[in-house]
């Protein structure tokens, strides 16, 4: 294992490189070669940590300037964005889906935002913030901000939002979005434009996580609430109407506190089939399409009415094991065997035509804090069969894999490939394909069969939230428990020393590699089709923030 200092330097360099990649708006060559695994070790291992103690380095907090309204010189017309699914809710506290968040981010604002590098904090509804004690964060709120219904935004709205998040309103329950704010216990109005948040334990990275918490108005969830169907926010766009299975239409907010948006109207149009989305782009029916298949990217050529943009994403694909309820999957040896059974290189190179990168665990290789001394499990079906037999499953066992339709790029096809390879080593794997709305409901209720396929999109380019949500016991998408892993994740979450932060994450990843809660698969690029004269830079977090878009001269 490299020393922590070197590993952090590597993460910083890769983040800089990533920022450079996403700033190129006309990327027409899609290349993401699969990670090499020439003659890997029989199973993932990590090198011995350096005995040289790293010097303490405080966690850096970078703050960038808030974005400004676009200065435009050409007429601005409405924008149409194709989406694969309907929003699961228009209440931002009752959803945890990337495509839904993308719509809602245009209606609502967070207290603190992230810049386009996803590394620096940006003032939003809060103009400044500071830790007054290790467990209390004081924020100064922006004055003069109004919700779309004309009411003023202030501390009472922040207190109400956090009470709603934590199920502290009369007759309420903990909100779906609370799963990434597990230490955020409360908020108190401490001044005319000041609010103080409290956490149950030290959480130095809370300001980064707050970029995902969208503020709702005070009393908006009281009796008779319509927030889930008629949202009221402070955002750059105001709600016009929603037609299920068809569209969400928003209008520019002329009084937006960061300036009037350039584009006057945006329609998020639901088109589940990716080929239909591409056709709609080619005819000019829509202006933005994401999630293009590798086989479709050649249909968008520079010099026509459209352009192609490809960026790395913060999304990783895996098959989750239900280790809590499935007897066979309680065995570490069985889970290791199933990882040996999968030809992930073949999936990345064949199915994705090289536009996906094999991951050592669930951490994309460009994340800061990745343990790059680990090697992917090699494809070794003979070893998989022997390990299953040694574990008492010579005749295999039955395993159903839940997968959503029309959600993840080639997600169903990847699951089919995994199931076929599991069957080849004697595991009776079947696929349970369901609509994405049902998938979201089942996972929220924690009702999955022996396994599920998902492609989870993080919002920060380090493994902490990924581990907290998808692997730490009690996480919203975790069906695994390893006390040593949990302790290291908690240590990283409370670390004020940057060396401790990255070292803890690296060691946690090594535990995960040896005691796999997943079939580790790949991280795929995000391929976008855009109208040629649209100025918009897709980011690895996949959020379509229309405030940052404008039409330019073709």
């Amino acid at each position: 294992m490299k020393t922590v200092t070197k590993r952090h330097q590597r993460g910083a360099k890769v983040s800089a490189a990533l920022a450079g990649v996403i700033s190129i708006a006309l990327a027409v060559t899609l290349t993401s070669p699969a990670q090499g695994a020439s003659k890997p070790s029989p199973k993932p291992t990590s090198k011995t940590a350096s005995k040289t103690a790293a010097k303490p380095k405080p966690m850096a907090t970078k703050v960038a300037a808030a974005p400004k309204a676009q200065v435009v010189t050409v007429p601005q017309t409405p924008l149409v964005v194709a989406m694969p699914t309907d929003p699961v809710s228009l209440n931002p506290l009752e959803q945890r889906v990337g495509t839904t968040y993308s719509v809602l981010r245009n209606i609502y604002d967070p207290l603190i935002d992230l810049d386009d590098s996803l590394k620096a904090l940006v003032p939003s509804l809060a103009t400044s913030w500071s830790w007054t004690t290790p467990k209390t964060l004081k924020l100064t709120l922006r004055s003069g901000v109004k919700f779309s219904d004309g009411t003023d935004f202030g501390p009472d709205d922040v207190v109400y939002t956090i009470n709603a998040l934590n199920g502290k309103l009369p007759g309420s329950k903990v909100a779906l979005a609370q799963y990434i704010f597990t230490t955020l216990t409360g908020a108190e109005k401490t001044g005319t434009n000041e609010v103080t948040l409290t956490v149950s334990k030290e959480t130095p990275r809370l300001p980064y996580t707050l970029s995902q918490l969208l503020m709702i108005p005070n009393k908006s969830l009281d009796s008779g609430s319509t927030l889930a169907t008629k949202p009221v926010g402070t955002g750059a766009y105001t709600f016009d109407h929603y037609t299920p299975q068809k569209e969400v239409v928003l209008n520019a907010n002329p009084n937006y506190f960061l300036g009037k948006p350039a584009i006057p109207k945006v329609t998020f149009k639901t088109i589940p089939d990716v080929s239909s989305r591409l056709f709609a782009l080619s005819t000019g029916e829509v202006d933005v399409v994401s999630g293009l298949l590798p086989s479709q990217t050649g249909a968008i050529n520079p010099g026509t009415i459209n352009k192609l943009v490809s960026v790395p994403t913060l999304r990783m694909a895996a098959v989750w094991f239900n280790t809590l309820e499935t007897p066979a999957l309680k065995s570490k040896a069985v889970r290791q065997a199933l990882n040996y059974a999968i030809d992930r290189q073949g999936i990345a190179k064949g199915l994705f035509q090289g536009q996906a990168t094999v991951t050592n665990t669930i951490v994309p290789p460009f994340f800061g804090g990745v343990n790059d001394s680990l090697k992917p499990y090699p494809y070794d079906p003979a070893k998989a069969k022997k390990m299953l037999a040694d574990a008492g499953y010579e005749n295999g066992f039955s395993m159903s894999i839940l997968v959503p339709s029309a959600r993840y790029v080639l997600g169903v096809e990847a699951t089919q490939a995994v199931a076929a390879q599991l069957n080849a080593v004697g595991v009776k794997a079947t696929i349970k394909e369901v609509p994405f709305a049902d998938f979201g409901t089942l996972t929220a209720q924690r009702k999955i069969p022996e396994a599920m396929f998902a492609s989870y999109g993080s919002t920060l380019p380090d493994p902490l939230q990924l581990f907290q949500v998808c692997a730490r016991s009690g996480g919203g998408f975790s069906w695994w428990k390893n006390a040593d892993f949990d302790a290291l994740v908690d240590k990283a979450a409370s670390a004020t020393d940057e060396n401790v932060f990255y070292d803890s994450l690296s060691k946690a990843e090594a535990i995960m590699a040896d005691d796999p809660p997943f079939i580790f698969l790949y991280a795929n690029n995000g391929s976008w089709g855009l109208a040629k004269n649209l100025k918009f830079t897709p980011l690895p977090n996949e959020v379509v923030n229309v405030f940052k878009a404008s039409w330019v001269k073709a």
Side-chain angles (χ1 to χ4, degrees):
M1 185 186 302
K2 298 180 180 179
T3 65
V4 175
T5 302
K6 288 183 178 179
R7 182 170 55 252
H8 172 60
Q9 289 172 344
R10 175 187 179 276
K13 289 179 181 178
V14 175
S15 285
L18 177 62
V21 169
I22 63 178
S23 68
I24 301 173
L26 294 176
V28 296
T29 304
L30 288 170
T31 57
S32 181
Q35 184 172 326
S38 58
K39 297 183 179 179
S41 57
K43 68 179 182 180
T45 58
S46 64
K47 300 175 185 177
T48 304
S50 170
K51 296 181 180 180
T52 303
K55 295 181 180 179
K57 184 177 182 181
M59 293 290 288
T61 301
K62 300 177 181 178
V63 180
K68 296 181 180 180
Q70 297 272 6
V71 176
V72 299
T73 58
V74 300
Q76 299 292 298
T77 57
L79 178 74
V80 182
V81 180
M83 303 291 282
T85 62
D86 272 4
V88 297
S89 174
L90 296 179
N91 172 358
L93 303 184
E94 291 300 336
Q95 62 80 36
R96 52 184 188 181
V97 178
T99 51
T100 297
Y101 182 85
S102 200
V103 175
L104 298 180
R105 180 60 188 86
N106 292 279
I107 303 172
Y108 300 93
D109 289 297
L111 293 168
I112 302 169
D113 207 353
L114 295 174
D115 74 346
D116 288 353
S117 75
L118 307 182
K119 299 290 286 184
L121 301 175
V122 172
S124 185
L125 291 174
T127 56
S128 63
W129 51 90
S130 62
W131 290 99
T132 53
T133 76
K135 294 184 180 180
T136 55
L137 181 69
K138 181 177 71 174
L139 301 100
T140 300
L141 305 182
R142 192 182 299 270
S143 60
V145 176
K146 292 183 179 293
F147 286 98
S148 58
D149 63 358
T151 57
D152 292 328
F153 165 78
D156 290 336
D157 305 298
V158 179
V159 173
Y160 186 84
T161 298
I162 293 174
N163 283 340
L165 181 75
N166 288 324
K168 293 183 178 180
L169 302 180
S172 70
K173 60 181 181 179
V174 173
L176 275 181
Q178 195 268 349
Y179 75 107
I180 55 176
F181 300 98
T182 56
T183 66
L184 180 55
T185 54
E188 179 185 2
K189 179 179 179 180
T190 49
T192 303
N193 281 310
E194 184 180 284
V195 64
T196 297
L197 310 186
T198 55
V199 291
S200 57
K201 56 185 177 182
E202 290 187 62
T203 314
R205 289 178 67 80
L206 178 65
Y208 289 89
T209 312
L210 287 175
S211 65
Q212 302 162 75
L213 181 58
L214 303 177
M215 294 292 110
I216 62 174
N218 187 24
K219 300 183 179 180
S220 59
L221 294 177
D222 289 0
S223 179
S225 167
T226 59
L227 197 70
T229 55
K230 295 181 180 179
V232 176
T234 61
Y237 287 82
T238 61
F239 178 74
D240 187 298
H241 71 269
Y242 168 42
T243 304
Q245 304 301 316
K246 184 179 179 183
E247 63 186 16
V248 179
V249 178
L250 311 178
N251 297 314
N253 179 358
N255 301 313
Y256 187 48
F257 62 86
L258 293 177
K260 182 180 178 180
I263 293 176
K265 177 180 288 189
V266 56
T267 298
F268 291 91
K269 184 179 290 291
T270 301
I271 307 177
D273 179 66
V274 65
S275 295
S276 298
R277 295 200 296 273
L278 180 60
F279 179 76
L281 178 71
S282 69
T283 62
E285 179 186 349
V286 304
D287 307 301
V288 178
V289 173
S290 61
L292 294 177
L293 304 179
S295 60
Q296 296 174 319
T297 55
I300 301 176
N301 299 306
T304 64
I305 63 170
N306 300 314
K307 60 189 176 185
L308 174 68
V309 180
S310 179
V311 297
T313 70
L314 306 187
R315 187 174 294 281
M316 65 83 207
V319 171
W320 271 244
F321 293 130
N322 185 347
T323 72
L324 303 179
E325 300 173 319
T326 308
L329 296 176
K330 292 179 184 293
S331 166
K332 180 173 77 171
V334 168
R335 287 180 272 119
Q336 289 177 340
L338 299 190
N339 270 281
Y340 285 118
I342 304 305
D343 183 8
R344 50 188 56 78
Q345 293 283 0
I347 292 173
K349 291 180 179 179
L351 188 61
F352 282 89
Q353 300 178 22
Q355 295 176 31
T357 302
V358 168
T359 53
N360 300 336
T361 58
I362 59 170
V363 184
F366 56 82
F367 271 32
V370 66
N371 188 332
D372 52 11
S373 70
L374 300 171
K375 301 297 181 184
Y377 277 82
Y379 178 45
D380 192 340
K383 185 178 182 68
K385 288 181 180 180
K386 184 179 186 304
M387 291 184 70
L388 287 170
D390 291 346
Y393 293 94
E394 183 176 3
N395 297 318
F397 60 94
S398 296
M399 178 174 163
S400 178
I401 307 175
L402 182 71
V403 60
S405 56
R407 173 62 183 99
Y408 305 120
V409 176
L410 295 175
V412 173
E413 292 82 356
T415 307
Q416 291 169 341
V418 167
Q421 291 167 10
L422 292 177
N423 275 280
V425 299
V427 174
K428 303 172 185 65
T430 57
I431 296 174
K432 183 179 180 182
E433 183 178 348
V434 298
F436 181 67
D438 294 345
F439 181 84
T441 299
L442 290 168
T443 54
Q445 296 175 349
R446 302 190 60 75
K447 296 179 180 179
I448 70 168
E450 290 79 13
M452 72 172 188
F453 172 93
S455 184
Y456 182 83
S458 185
T459 56
L460 296 172
D462 67 51
L464 178 58
Q465 188 180 99
L466 190 63
F467 288 173
Q468 288 175 321
V469 174
C470 297
R472 193 202 181 284
S473 61
F477 289 98
S478 174
W479 280 263
W480 175 63
K481 184 173 183 178
N482 182 301
D484 293 335
F485 177 89
D486 289 355
L488 284 164
V489 171
D490 291 347
K491 186 176 181 179
S494 62
T496 55
D497 181 337
E498 197 168 73
N499 294 322
V500 173
F501 176 74
Y502 284 109
D503 186 57
S504 300
L505 292 175
S506 180
K507 290 176 179 176
E509 189 180 1
I511 291 174
M512 173 187 291
D514 180 61
D515 182 20
F518 311 92
I519 293 176
F520 307 124
L521 291 174
Y522 55 82
N524 58 283
N525 277 10
S527 297
W528 299 67
L530 307 177
K532 187 177 181 181
N533 60 330
L534 178 66
K535 180 184 177 183
F536 174 69
T537 302
L539 300 179
N541 64 6
E542 303 171 271
V543 176
V544 181
N545 187 344
V546 183
F547 182 71
K548 297 182 179 181
S550 65
W551 295 106
V552 296
K553 188 175 180 180

